[in-house]
Amino acid sequence: MTVRTRFAPSPTGYLHVGGVRTALFAWLIARQNNGRFILRIEDTDRSRHVDESEKHIIDSLKWLGLEWEEGPDIGGKYGPYRQSERLDIYHNWAKKLIESGRAYADERTPEELEQIRLNLSKEKRPVLFREWRPENPSDWQLGMPLRFKSEPKEHKWRDAVLGDLKAGPEVVDDFILVKSDGFPTYNFAHIVDDYLMECTHVIRSTEFLASVPRFLNLYEALNIEPPILATPPVVLGPDGRKKLSKRDGAKDILDYRAEGYLPETLLNFMASLGWNDGTTQEIFSVDELIKKFSLERVQRSGARFDEKRLEWMNGHYIRQKTPDQLYILARDFWPASARHKDEEYKKEVLELVQDRLKYLAELPELTSFFFEDLPINLSLIDDNKNLNRLSRAQQTELLKKSRDQLEGSNFSVEDLISRLNSLLQEVGEKPAVLFSLIRIATTWAAASPELAPTLAVIGKEKTLVRLDKSIAALVH
């Protein structure tokens, strides 16, 4: 059997972590079994369709490296891969259900159906449309809804993540197969498509779990053997109490690209949301994920979204990059003042800040002072607990002595370290005091890398000019 998995998003908006994690799990299953990964666009809900969403889905998956063998952009022997282009297929399968007595036209208006719901609610009875089937339904034709005629029974099934599950007949109901606009519902279309596209695994979110008994009823009516079903846990917000929402940080996946997160970070992070290999390992290459991933190791409880862990993981991947690799990745993240600067100089700057970067969009904040003189902001000194105990006169005197010492340096890192250490002995101050003052006076940034390498990159001329300006600011 050739393993065939699919990711079947609806083009109703952007992809977020939960949706892409589903795609990743399906992709990993396909890759580790030398199978095929399919992208299918489920665009039958025309009221929520967003024109640019399909392109966004494709761009997101390609950025992450989740390539597919069959899909709407490349075709395949089981196409079309947009459900809106498969209407004739669904209509033909609908006719099969009518002929077998398992579907009927439902001409009731939305108002009539709502009244049924209200009546049942008043009687505190469950809303089951199978109890309100029309006695003499019309022959079905396009323009009227087609409803599945269920045969309620207990269903038992095995979920590759959740294990053995069952549900009683009370949850099986008649549901719409084809809407009045001629488009199928998800409940009908995905079953037909998964069968015709020979999908061996269906991995989807927990929101569909309650509908599985209805799906199983329809599988039986169509005489289709269900694929392997898998339901990963929901991705929880940072507090671990409720499903991750936009308010909690469920961002557009491409927002992470814009912020300078690396695709390998997102893949590693999403794979570990609800899965581990049974060890304490946290960093996995893509090849390791393909080798080690299994649905059996996916946890059943919700997985908490931890943004700090995501930042830590991205910092790890940034630190693994060579200078040339990082320079290419950082191309679009430099501050405007770096635009016309020398490539080698920028590589020196990158090498200094590489260990501090959590994501590439931090680059302007961490590097602007290398390319331009930042405004003198004395509050950086006044708010520093090591410096605000000194008077302005003491601060000025320390900077003057620092300038005298640095003026004689050749500004190699080794010489700067030697002179700074000698200066410590001369003035009798701690590094937290002297070095903090020099750092602020030569950068006027909230933070910067280690002092000696930073000064070496800034250069002697610019360092001395900045010290002169800072001394003048302290005096006045």
Side-chain angles (χ1 to χ4, degrees):
M1 179 183 69
T2 299
V3 168
R4 293 172 58 83
T5 67
R6 49 75 157 178
F7 179 51
S10 297
T12 56
Y14 64 74
L15 282 180
H16 56 80
V17 168
V20 179
R21 187 190 62 167
T22 300
L24 173 60
F25 284 4
W27 183 84
L28 290 172
I29 291 295
R31 288 293 173 272
Q32 67 182 198
N33 290 282
N34 296 315
R36 295 175 72 81
F37 179 59
I38 304 163
L39 175 62
R40 185 173 73 226
I41 301 298
E42 299 196 336
D43 58 348
T44 60
D45 189 346
R46 306 310 290 178
S47 65
R48 299 176 61 217
H49 185 268
V50 177
D51 289 338
E52 63 272 18
S53 183
E54 181 179 322
K55 181 180 184 303
H56 177 277
I57 291 167
I58 289 174
D59 288 347
S60 299
L61 296 178
K62 285 189 173 180
W63 173 61
L64 292 168
L66 301 181
E67 298 287 349
W68 48 95
E69 286 69 51
E70 303 169 34
D73 56 331
I74 57 176
K77 64 181 288 189
Y78 299 93
Y81 293 91
R82 292 184 190 89
Q83 288 187 332
S84 60
E85 298 172 2
R86 298 171 62 83
L87 298 188
D88 287 345
I89 295 173
Y90 307 128
H91 296 162
N92 288 334
W93 280 76
K95 290 173 184 175
K96 292 180 183 180
L97 286 169
I98 294 171
E99 291 168 1
S100 64
R102 297 301 302 274
Y104 58 91
D106 191 343
E107 296 181 89
R108 290 171 292 192
T109 66
E111 291 76 18
E112 290 173 326
L113 293 173
E114 183 60 28
Q115 189 59 52
I116 292 175
R117 291 189 183 92
L118 289 174
N119 292 340
L120 292 172
S121 178
K122 289 178 181 178
E123 298 173 13
K124 296 184 179 180
R125 294 169 54 195
V127 178
L128 294 171
F129 287 103
R130 58 181 164 83
E131 298 178 358
W132 295 77
R133 292 170 183 163
E135 292 184 7
N136 296 299
S138 303
D139 291 337
W140 180 69
Q141 56 186 329
L142 290 178
M144 63 175 65
L146 181 70
R147 193 177 286 271
F148 175 56
K149 186 177 182 181
S150 63
E151 291 184 355
K153 56 177 287 189
E154 182 182 67
H155 285 284
K156 296 180 179 180
W157 72 100
R158 180 162 186 79
D159 187 289
V161 173
L162 301 178
D164 292 326
L165 301 173
K166 66 179 181 178
E170 67 277 1
V171 300
V172 178
D173 194 17
D174 296 1
F175 56 86
I176 296 294
L177 299 168
V178 181
K179 296 171 287 187
S180 58
D181 62 4
F183 282 81
T185 60
Y186 168 83
N187 296 339
F188 179 42
H190 87 275
I191 288 179
V192 172
D193 287 342
D194 289 340
Y195 173 71
L196 294 178
M197 295 180 185
E198 299 183 3
C199 295
T200 57
H201 297 68
V202 171
I203 303 171
R204 60 186 159 211
S205 63
T206 55
E207 65 186 284
F208 296 103
L209 188 59
S211 298
V212 171
R214 298 183 184 188
F215 299 158
L216 295 174
N217 214 246
L218 181 54
Y219 278 121
E220 289 183 358
L222 293 171
N223 196 28
I224 291 175
E225 183 70 24
I228 294 170
L229 303 178
T231 309
V234 67
V235 178
L236 301 172
D239 63 2
R241 296 179 180 177
K242 57 185 176 66
K243 184 177 179 180
L244 181 68
S245 66
K246 292 180 183 179
R247 183 179 302 174
D248 299 317
K251 295 187 290 192
D252 179 338
I253 282 295
L254 292 184
D255 282 348
Y256 289 108
R257 181 177 68 177
E259 292 172 5
Y261 284 84
L262 307 185
E264 52 265 49
T265 300
L266 269 295
L267 292 178
N268 194 156
F269 179 73
M270 289 186 295
S272 61
L273 281 176
W275 170 84
N276 68 76
D277 68 340
T279 72
T280 58
Q281 182 175 346
E282 292 193 73
I283 300 298
F284 295 87
S285 68
V286 173
D287 287 342
E288 285 179 310
L289 288 175
I290 291 172
K291 180 180 178 180
K292 295 187 174 186
F293 179 79
S294 70
L295 290 171
E296 290 73 21
R297 293 291 314 175
V298 176
Q299 68 187 39
R300 299 182 182 186
S301 57
R304 186 173 68 88
F305 181 88
D306 185 345
E307 189 167 4
K308 291 299 182 184
R309 183 168 178 271
L310 175 62
E311 288 183 355
W312 165 80
M313 191 173 285
N314 200 57
H316 168 85
Y317 279 104
I318 286 175
R319 290 190 294 276
Q320 306 310 304
K321 300 299 180 185
T322 66
D324 287 340
Q325 290 172 332
L326 187 58
Y327 182 75
I328 293 171
L329 291 170
R331 179 183 55 197
D332 298 326
F333 293 92
W334 290 104
S337 53
R339 186 174 298 124
H340 303 298
K341 295 296 182 179
D342 176 75
E343 178 179 322
E344 289 306 313
Y345 181 72
K346 288 197 281 190
K347 284 184 177 180
E348 286 185 69
V349 172
L350 268 182
E351 190 173 352
L352 277 183
V353 301
Q354 185 170 7
D355 285 349
R356 290 171 170 260
L357 279 173
K358 297 187 293 295
Y359 47 90
L360 296 174
E362 289 185 309
L363 206 54
E365 180 184 354
L366 294 178
T367 66
S368 290
F369 64 87
F370 285 107
F371 306 102
E372 61 179 315
D373 292 344
L374 298 184
I376 291 176
N377 177 10
L378 294 179
S379 66
L380 290 174
I381 292 177
D382 296 338
D383 294 340
N384 186 300
K385 65 181 181 180
N386 292 310
L387 300 178
N388 57 20
R389 64 177 178 82
L390 302 177
S391 67
R392 283 285 188 255
Q394 289 173 309
Q395 295 166 359
T396 302
E397 185 62 24
L398 283 176
L399 285 184
K400 285 180 178 179
K401 289 184 177 182
S402 299
R403 189 199 185 285
D404 291 342
Q405 182 68 261
L406 294 174
E407 188 173 23
S409 175
N410 64 10
F411 266 65
S412 68
V413 173
E414 294 78 9
D415 187 63
L416 285 168
I417 290 174
S418 175
R419 288 177 179 272
L420 289 170
N421 287 334
S422 296
L423 188 60
L424 282 175
Q425 298 297 320
E426 178 186 340
V427 300
E429 280 290 357
K430 296 179 180 178
V433 175
L434 180 63
F435 292 176
S436 293
L437 183 61
I438 297 173
R439 184 195 68 76
I440 292 172
T442 54
T443 67
W444 291 106
S448 63
E450 191 177 349
L451 182 57
T454 297
L455 295 178
V457 172
I458 292 174
K460 182 174 183 177
E461 181 180 352
K462 187 178 291 186
T463 295
L464 296 179
V465 169
R466 288 181 178 180
L467 282 171
D468 288 337
K469 290 181 178 178
S470 297
I471 290 168
L474 289 174
V475 170
H476 296 292

